[in-house]
Amino acid sequence: MSKGLDTNIMIVGGGPVGATLALALQEAGVPVTLLEAREQGASHQDQRALALSYGSRLILERLGLWTELEPKATPINTIHVSQRGSFGRTLLKANEHGQPALGYVLSYGALSAALDNAMKNFPGISIVNGAEATAINPASDAVHISYRHQGREHAYSAAFAVLADGGRGLGDIPGLQRETKHYGHDALVAKVQCELPHDNIAYERFTAAGPVALLPNGDRDFSLVWTGKAEEVAKLLKLEDEAFLSALHEHFGDRVGRFLTVGKRLSFPLRLSYLKSVTAPHLAIIGNAAQTMHPVAGQGFNVGMRDAWELAQMLAQTVPSEWGSENMLSAYQSSRKTDTRSGLIFTDFLVNVFSNDIVGLRKLRALGLGLLDVVPLAKNRLVGKMSFGPKG
Ligand SMILES: Cc1cc2nc3c(=O)[nH]c(=O)nc-3n(C[C@H](O)[C@H](O)[C@H](O)COP(=O)(O)OP(=O)(O)OC[C@H]3O[C@@H](n4cnc5c(N)ncnc54)[C@H](O)[C@@H]3O)c2cc1C
């Protein structure tokens, strides 16, 4: 076992959030070491469709990556929100809110490739691919990280480390408490093609079984996110393509015509999960590792991007001897609290209020959607929140 002491900031996890942090720190010349469990390039083919808010686009612009990514991203110019079994609906339009787009759909693989390539240009970023952190122990003097690389165990102690592992790899960190609510629902994701062109409209439809979204992705495709009870989603996964497409038509209605083709179908469980505190001595936790949300409003990924950006700004403004100090960590924690909590509450509210079949609620929801459509202030606030978080 090798023992190392380093003055670099250690980032565990080089997904979109960890990589964004590493790059954002380069403007201030802050050296980082990044441990990534996957081999170089392993995520570049991941077709998962991320819904980027306009605020995330601005972060990527600041990193100098948007020119390269824009041709691969599909703008969302209108969001059409409706509910099954009711006439209430609302339209959110980019041009009514002074934005070129409400958001963008971009594949996880394209974003990862752009971030990975950009990181190669900075000598201040040392990436260790194929390195899996196995334990993180915050202590009073430093944070102690164990990791496995090329069959050997390593130990690393840093004055400051950031965990951005997506919340999957490590289990619980001593001293941190996680709250989790399982919805008992899964999300089925797939690319679909329909009869009608998408015209850069994203559809969000609330049904008693759970929300279903169609996000424009590429010239002709939509990325489908169909949520429902885990056992129902399991049945949908097993259907032949033809039967699946007619079930989708039945569930979604006629707005985009008939559904013609469907690509590979995948599913994942939906949960709301967050850490009560996103810091521990000498450690901050960001992105999906800190909070996981229902995908209903496309908030989770964007909150993670803002975590990375805000932490980088805070580190750049703090003298290195204070990195990881109690003062710095508590300032970071309070700067992120409102954004994270409001994202969690907003998505949970949408799931609870819009996805059940209580008759009174259904009428209220229809009224709510209709009202939203005629009250410009309410719409502006909703678009601002979805685009920029609480500062919107
Ligand atoms: C199956 C699935 C499907 C999803 N689909 C969608 C979708 O369709 N649309 C959408 O908007 N969002 C989707 N999400 C959410 C979205 O992927 C996340 O919001 C986003 O990836 C968060 O970025 P992150 O960098 O925090 O975490 P991640 O993207 O998970 O990145 C974490 C990184 O850390 C690395 N890592 C993990 N453990 C370790 C370790 N022990 N040591 C070192 N490195 C480690 C991983 O290899 C990975 O590169 C999905 C999530 C999942 C799990």
Side-chain angles (χ1 to χ4, degrees):
M1 181 183 284
S2 68
K3 258 247 177 253
L5 266 177
D6 211 293
T7 51
N8 281 9
I9 290 174
M10 163 73 91
I11 302 174
V12 176
V17 171
T20 294
L21 173 64
L23 285 167
L25 284 171
Q26 299 317 296
E27 214 172 276
V30 176
V32 300
T33 299
L34 191 153
L35 295 185
E36 169 51 52
R38 291 192 272 218
E39 295 302 335
Q40 167 68 26
S43 59
H44 295 183
Q45 302 310 318
D46 191 328
Q47 288 303 309
R48 187 186 318 173
L50 296 172
L52 264 63
S53 66
Y54 187 66
S56 292
R57 168 200 159 143
L58 295 181
I59 293 174
L60 293 167
E61 247 175 48
R62 287 286 300 272
L63 298 179
L65 296 178
W66 187 247
T67 313
E68 172 191 348
L69 286 170
E70 190 166 19
K72 296 169 188 153
T74 309
I76 299 173
N77 296 337
T78 301
I79 302 179
H80 180 292
V81 188
S82 65
Q83 65 169 313
R84 197 165 183 231
S86 146
F87 294 116
R89 70 104 174 88
T90 197
L91 291 178
L92 307 174
K93 292 186 178 179
N95 58 12
E96 289 174 4
H97 300 277
Q99 290 177 200
L102 292 171
Y104 300 85
V105 180
L106 181 66
S107 80
Y108 187 99
L111 178 60
S112 297
L115 291 163
D116 286 354
N117 290 336
M119 286 197 291
K120 286 185 200 150
N121 297 327
F122 289 98
I125 305 179
S126 312
I127 305 180
V128 193
N129 275 110
E132 189 191 349
T134 49
I136 296 188
N137 287 302
S140 57
D141 56 335
V143 53
H144 305 286
I145 298 165
S146 309
Y147 68 95
R148 196 174 302 120
H149 183 231
Q150 296 178 337
R152 291 184 60 208
E153 302 295 323
H154 299 258
Y156 194 105
S157 298
F160 185 51
V162 181
L163 179 61
D165 73 339
R168 291 191 300 279
L170 275 162
D172 291 334
I173 307 282
L176 292 181
Q177 232 183 312
R178 186 177 289 281
E179 293 286 326
T180 302
K181 169 175 169 179
H182 294 278
Y183 288 109
H185 280 204
D186 282 1
L188 180 154
V189 290
K191 270 193 175 177
V192 292
Q193 244 181 39
C194 321
E195 216 171 3
L196 302 177
H198 58 55
D199 289 334
N200 298 91
I201 302 173
Y203 295 88
E204 177 89 52
R205 189 158 173 75
F206 293 95
T207 80
V212 54
L214 284 176
L215 307 174
N217 189 355
D219 291 339
R220 282 287 315 176
D221 290 341
F222 276 108
S223 281
L224 166 71
V225 186
W226 185 346
T227 69
K229 281 193 181 138
E231 55 273 24
E232 297 303 323
V233 169
K235 283 184 204 156
L236 291 170
L237 281 174
K238 286 189 196 135
L239 291 178
E240 296 292 330
D241 284 2
E242 278 303 310
F244 177 81
L245 292 166
S246 14
L248 177 58
H249 193 189
E250 158 68 24
H251 190 63
F252 186 78
D254 270 328
R255 286 196 167 81
V256 291
R258 277 182 309 122
F259 289 90
L260 305 176
T261 60
V262 56
K264 191 171 171 195
R265 282 168 260 162
L266 299 170
S267 76
F268 59 95
L270 297 176
R271 66 196 158 94
L272 173 145
S273 163
Y274 63 93
L275 290 173
K276 283 194 154 176
S277 165
V278 294
T279 63
H282 303 278
L283 179 70
I285 299 97
I286 63 174
N288 257 37
Q291 64 271 321
T292 304
M293 300 175 196
H294 192 289
V296 61
Q299 296 277 296
F301 169 77
N302 297 299
V303 172
M305 291 293 276
R306 296 198 286 271
D307 286 348
W309 186 256
E310 300 263 326
L311 181 56
Q313 305 315 303
M314 186 162 285
L315 286 163
Q317 289 156 16
T318 306
V319 288
S321 58
E322 280 294 298
W323 290 343
S325 68
E326 249 182 80
N327 280 347
M328 191 212 102
L329 291 171
S330 84
Y332 172 72
Q333 166 107 341
S334 27
S335 78
R336 296 304 300 139
K337 205 169 181 172
T338 310
D339 189 8
T340 309
R341 288 293 143 91
S342 69
L344 288 162
I345 291 167
F346 180 51
T347 51
D348 197 43
F349 164 81
L350 289 178
V351 175
N352 290 333
V353 172
F354 282 90
S355 297
N356 61 59
D357 213 10
I358 301 168
V359 177
L361 266 185
R362 202 188 311 149
K363 286 192 185 135
L364 251 180
R365 287 188 306 246
L367 189 67
L369 289 177
L371 273 182
L372 200 58
D373 215 38
V374 292
V375 183
L377 185 65
K379 269 169 75 166
N380 278 335
R381 292 202 59 174
L382 181 66
V383 170
K385 183 169 165 38
M386 289 174 81
S387 302
F388 304 108
K391 293 174 186 161

